Amino acid sequence: MKSSKLDEKNFNPIDSDAETRSGIFSGVLKNKADRSNVGILEKSPKSIPGGIINIIPREVAEKNRMVVFEKNGPNVKVAMADPQDLDSLNVLRFIAEKEKIKFEIYLADRNVLDAMMKFYIGPTEIVDAAVQSFKEDAFSTDADFSNDAKKKEEILRDAPVAKLVQVIINHAIEGHASDIHIEPMDKDYRVRFRVDGILHTSLILPKEIGPVVISRIKILANLKIDEKRKPQDGRFRLVNGGKEIDFRVSTLPVIEGEKVVLRILDKSSGVGNVETLGLMGSALDNMKLAIRETYGMILITGPTGSGKSTTLYALLKILNQEERNIITLEDPIEYDIEGLNQSQIKPEIGYTFANGLRTILRQDPNVIMVGEIRDSETAELAVHAALTGHLMFSTLHTNTAIGAIPRLVDMGIEPFLLSSSLRMVVAQRLVRRICDGCKEEISVPDTVKKRILEEISSVSETELDKYGVDLKKGISFFHGKGCDLCGGTGLRGRLAIYEAVLVVDSIKDIIAEKRGNEQMIEKERTSMGILTIRQDGILKILKGLTTIEEVERVTEGKIALSEEQ
């Protein structure tokens, strides 16, 4: 890497001897930069956006004495105390591979790095500043602004609470959280982030600050700040690190006050392919067969937050070609995909899934995606659309794949119509991946191994080969021992486990003649050799992708690693 100096015009360096050197680096430091073939950072930038500096987490930066200070596309500039330290370089290499970026290294002395470290400002300091400001301004939640809503709105916009809300949101985005929960407790307010499906407490707010933070969020979402007796829903958009992030806001009256949840929708994060999401083996083969059909319905089932929409987007990505007219009805639109005609449902003005589906059938679609089948009217329209030359994708809230069939019958769909229209039903759950940075093999009790083997005893050799699992060589188990990159959890990122049931003629007969009898369809699925969602999870355990505990968490198994022989 060629040695170079930064363009000071772009960085507005601070002229402070306490933070940076104003003169030329010492000869020793200059020689060190030349030997390492890196650039020199002589002065600290005036500011570093949170979305940039947190590319390297604070704990990792402090331990390895390195700080990110600029990002242009995939190119990231990082200042280091020792560009020849192998451990630090290995950390950079791992982050670069994970985040798909390239690091350009600059040498910086201790004073410069100390000054840059100050840009890692956490929300705790902002809370203290907000509390102090409220005391000075005598501004509390008991103040009466009911007759002057404009005044209250101005205070909420200008007060330190606005900065606090921004810091909370920034930390959630940088921590790859999917949701922010702000909820009143007995003596304070708790802020929690949902990361990889698990909630973690991030911050505790004083009792007098919590309601004002919630009011600030209501203003952003254009909700009524004086309405606390009934739930409200709204949304807003912010720009973070040059990316547009959408937030879906929901408020709920609770016994201690009012709770707010923000769903974070990063449209620029892109959609992976079905293989990276975790679809493999015969399930992947059958899915590829199903989406080649010219008409019919493909359903993805599972609870809220199980990745159903992401899987649908990945499938639409395969079909997204010029000769196809693909139209989606969504609430909300989670990813903006070029080539798709995506329409946002607005129930408040009467634009529902059912009404929207009637409209888009007149738009000459080849492929239709309805975000969710919520009622009988939408279900009936979806089935008829699937029978009249359209490939239909949708989601349904059921616990199992097969459970979707009797659920649709209960919604009033005639069994003979359902049997003719349904092509595939898929159930999925999300499990956390083992962190690649600290993955290691572990030993488990023989009783656990025995139970694992029993559960996959019916899986064919052909299926095992497709997963790349060879039981003849023995089985291995892995976990993450915990590192800076995964925050000590040993888990980083998520993948899905699936049960993909292809609706063949024998299952169609059961649907039409037995009204989708669940037990009969389960028996037929077993005879076809289709993996259950749990078996799929176990094979991913044996591949070293996830852990026993994770599969146990999202399925109904009761295997414990502590189990004695």
Side-chain angles (χ1 to χ4, degrees):
M1 192 174 296
K2 190 175 180 180
S3 178
S4 63
K5 293 184 180 180
L6 291 181
D7 182 356
E8 296 185 2
K9 175 180 67 176
N10 294 332
F11 282 86
N12 299 317
I14 300 173
D15 296 325
S16 169
D17 291 336
E19 294 186 352
T20 62
R21 288 185 183 179
S22 58
I24 301 173
F25 271 65
S26 67
V28 174
L29 203 61
K30 181 69 168 64
N31 291 336
K32 187 176 182 180
D34 291 340
R35 288 197 306 271
S36 302
N37 194 28
V38 299
I40 295 176
L41 179 63
E42 296 181 350
K43 296 181 179 181
S44 170
K46 188 175 181 180
S47 66
I48 307 175
I52 292 175
I53 195 171
N54 282 287
I55 290 173
I56 299 177
R58 182 174 188 164
E59 296 78 8
V60 179
E62 290 175 344
K63 180 179 178 181
N64 296 278
R65 299 297 294 166
M66 56 188 184
V67 183
V68 170
F69 60 90
E70 184 182 350
K71 184 176 186 293
N72 293 310
N75 300 312
V76 176
K77 294 181 179 180
V78 58
M80 297 181 66
D82 185 1
Q84 294 183 334
D85 180 68
L86 293 179
D87 289 338
S88 298
L89 292 174
N90 284 334
V91 170
L92 285 182
R93 189 176 297 111
F94 180 83
I95 295 174
E97 292 175 357
K98 193 72 175 175
E99 303 295 335
K100 303 293 188 297
I101 55 179
K102 296 178 182 178
F103 281 112
E104 182 180 347
I105 298 173
Y106 288 76
L107 178 65
D109 77 348
R110 178 174 57 82
N111 291 335
V112 173
L113 287 170
D114 287 344
M116 294 169 71
M117 284 289 181
K118 293 179 181 179
F119 295 119
Y120 279 106
I121 298 176
T124 303
E125 292 88 348
I126 305 298
V127 172
D128 293 340
V131 173
Q132 185 62 32
S133 174
F134 290 159
K135 289 179 179 177
E136 292 173 357
D137 297 337
F139 175 65
S140 72
T141 55
D142 294 330
D144 184 11
F145 292 101
S146 57
N147 296 324
D148 195 349
K150 186 176 181 181
K151 181 179 179 182
K152 182 172 184 178
E153 184 170 334
E154 288 175 356
I155 292 175
L156 287 171
R157 289 185 187 279
D158 297 335
V161 70
K163 188 173 183 180
L164 174 57
V165 170
Q166 188 64 54
V167 169
I168 291 172
I169 288 173
N170 287 346
H171 275 252
I173 293 171
E174 291 153 11
H176 304 289
S178 61
D179 301 86
I180 303 170
H181 292 239
I182 303 174
E183 49 204 347
M185 309 299 287
D186 185 29
K187 298 179 180 179
D188 46 41
Y189 273 70
R190 178 174 62 178
V191 180
R192 293 191 291 173
F193 297 160
R194 187 178 294 281
V195 181
D196 292 338
I198 305 297
L199 280 169
H200 303 277
T201 298
S202 172
L203 187 65
I204 299 297
L205 301 176
K207 194 72 172 179
E208 67 269 21
I209 302 290
V212 189
V213 168
I214 289 176
S215 293
R216 167 66 180 167
I217 293 170
K218 283 183 172 183
I219 289 172
L220 290 172
N222 199 27
L223 302 178
K224 296 178 181 178
I225 59 176
D226 56 346
E227 178 56 80
K228 301 178 181 180
R229 299 168 301 169
K230 63 182 182 181
Q232 297 185 73
D233 293 303
R235 49 176 54 86
F236 64 92
R237 176 177 296 177
L238 294 177
V239 177
N240 180 277
K243 299 187 299 183
E244 286 190 344
I245 311 289
D246 281 355
F247 296 85
R248 186 172 62 186
V249 180
S250 173
T251 69
L252 179 72
V254 294
I255 191 169
E256 296 290 345
E258 192 173 21
K259 173 179 177 176
V260 64
V261 175
L262 290 80
R263 168 64 59 88
I264 303 172
L265 305 170
D266 184 359
K267 297 182 180 181
S268 64
S269 60
V271 180
N273 56 50
V274 288
E275 289 88 348
T276 58
L277 292 176
L279 197 60
M280 56 182 65
S282 295
L284 177 60
D285 297 338
N286 290 337
M287 179 63 79
K288 288 181 177 178
L289 281 175
I291 65 174
R292 289 195 193 105
E293 297 280 355
T294 56
Y295 71 95
M297 185 160 61
I298 297 172
L299 289 178
I300 312 290
T301 73
T304 300
S306 60
K308 300 186 297 297
S309 296
T310 304
T311 297
L312 284 181
Y313 281 119
L315 296 174
L316 292 178
K317 189 177 175 182
I318 298 172
L319 298 171
N320 188 13
Q321 297 175 8
E322 185 179 355
E323 65 268 18
R324 292 191 180 96
N325 178 22
I326 303 176
I327 303 179
T328 73
L329 290 172
E330 306 175 54
D331 185 25
I333 297 174
E334 296 188 25
Y335 297 96
D336 186 3
I337 303 177
E338 186 176 356
L340 268 58
N341 301 288
Q342 296 173 264
S343 185
Q344 170 71 54
I345 293 301
K346 296 180 181 177
E348 64 272 14
I349 62 172
Y351 184 39
T352 63
F353 281 121
N355 292 338
L357 190 49
R358 286 193 185 91
T359 300
I360 64 175
L361 286 173
R362 296 191 287 270
Q363 290 283 318
D364 187 31
N366 300 105
V367 180
I368 300 170
M369 192 268 270
V370 174
E372 182 183 344
I373 294 178
R374 296 176 178 172
D375 51 53
S376 300
E377 187 180 13
T378 307
E380 185 177 355
L381 287 167
V383 168
H384 281 286
L387 287 171
T388 53
H390 306 96
L391 190 58
M392 165 69 66
F393 294 88
S394 192
T395 69
L396 199 62
H397 286 274
T398 61
N399 289 325
T400 64
I402 294 170
I405 296 172
R407 172 74 183 278
L408 288 170
V409 173
D410 289 342
M411 282 185 169
I413 305 301
E414 291 292 340
F416 73 92
L417 293 177
L418 186 59
S419 66
S420 301
S421 61
L422 204 56
R423 293 287 175 266
M424 173 169 271
V425 190
V426 181
Q428 73 175 75
R429 300 289 188 277
L430 292 177
V431 294
R432 292 180 290 176
R433 288 180 180 267
I434 297 173
C435 175
D436 292 329
C438 57
K439 182 178 177 179
E440 65 178 8
E441 189 172 348
I442 58 170
S443 60
V444 300
D446 289 339
T447 48
V448 173
K449 291 182 179 179
K450 183 179 178 181
R451 285 198 179 188
I452 289 288
L453 291 172
E454 285 175 354
E455 294 207 38
I456 59 172
S457 59
S458 61
V459 179
S460 67
E461 288 290 337
T462 303
E463 193 68 44
L464 292 173
D465 288 341
K466 289 180 179 179
Y467 275 78
V469 174
D470 188 355
L471 298 180
K472 295 175 183 177
K473 294 181 179 179
I475 57 177
S476 300
F477 299 85
F478 300 85
H479 80 155
K481 61 182 179 181
C483 65
D484 292 332
L485 293 169
C486 60
T489 64
L491 301 161
R492 184 177 169 91
R494 290 191 287 181
L495 79 156
I497 57 176
Y498 293 93
E499 175 185 339
V501 181
L502 193 64
V503 182
V504 296
D505 289 341
S506 56
I507 294 179
K508 288 181 180 181
D509 291 341
I510 297 172
I511 296 172
E513 298 172 9
K514 304 295 182 181
R515 297 183 62 82
N517 183 280
E518 198 166 344
Q519 288 73 28
M520 295 180 70
I521 296 176
E522 281 183 4
K523 186 176 179 181
E524 184 62 29
R525 177 204 63 197
T526 303
S527 67
M528 291 167 60
I530 294 174
L531 297 187
T532 65
I533 197 168
R534 184 168 170 79
Q535 288 174 326
D536 179 61
I538 288 173
L539 292 181
K540 285 167 182 170
I541 292 171
L542 301 183
K543 283 178 66 65
L545 298 176
T546 189
T547 66
I548 295 175
E549 293 88 347
E550 278 299 294
V551 174
E552 294 295 298
R553 180 174 63 85
V554 300
T555 64
E556 297 178 356
K558 296 180 181 178
I559 295 177
L561 282 178
S562 60
E563 189 173 356
E564 299 295 334
Q565 296 187 32

